[in-house]
Every structure is written in structure tokens, then in C-alpha cells.
Amino acid sequence: MAPLSGFEWGEEKAGGANSLYQYKKAIDNKLSDSEREAAIAWLDDYNRDDVRATFSFRAYFRGLNLTV
């Protein structure tokens, strides 16, 4: 819904499925520290954008004229 308000995520391939994939990488002890830290950084950026997307869509939705 956020793209309706003109919002775009900063992270490449942003979305729920990729966030789950990144989470699994972040907790995978078989990966290197740098790989896990990169996944954590991706999740941090994605989640911050997710909050921004919510506010962007809320502002867009509140600005709609829904009267008939």
C-alpha cells in the first residue's frame, strides 16, 4: 500500500519474505560474523523504512476525499 503514497523502500528486494530470509541469516551460527551483521543491518534499515512507509501511507490515506 505504501507505494500508493509514493514511498519506496531503501533496501533492495524489500518485503516480508526477504525479511524472514535475512532474519534466518542473522541467527545462523554457521555464517560468519560479518554475514550475520550484514543481515542485521539490512533488517534494521528495512524495519525503519517499514515504519516510515506506515506513516507515509497514513498521511496519504488521511488526505483522500472519501465523501460521495
Side-chain angles (χ1 to χ4, degrees):
M1 301 290 295
L4 289 173
S5 68
F7 185 84
E8 292 185 25
W9 275 260
E11 290 300 318
E12 189 176 326
K13 298 182 182 178
N18 198 25
S19 68
L20 289 172
Y21 173 71
Q22 296 293 334
Y23 173 75
K24 288 181 181 181
K25 286 175 60 177
I27 63 170
D28 187 347
N29 290 328
K30 296 175 188 169
L31 297 178
S32 69
D33 287 345
S34 63
E35 289 173 303
R36 289 196 316 270
E37 288 170 8
I40 290 168
W42 187 96
L43 286 164
D44 183 57
D45 290 342
Y46 171 75
N47 285 324
R48 289 176 192 274
D49 270 356
D50 213 24
V51 172
R52 290 181 186 106
T54 300
F55 278 92
S56 178
F57 182 73
R58 183 183 72 172
Y60 167 78
F61 191 72
R62 285 182 172 174
L64 293 177
N65 183 1
L66 299 177
T67 58
V68 182

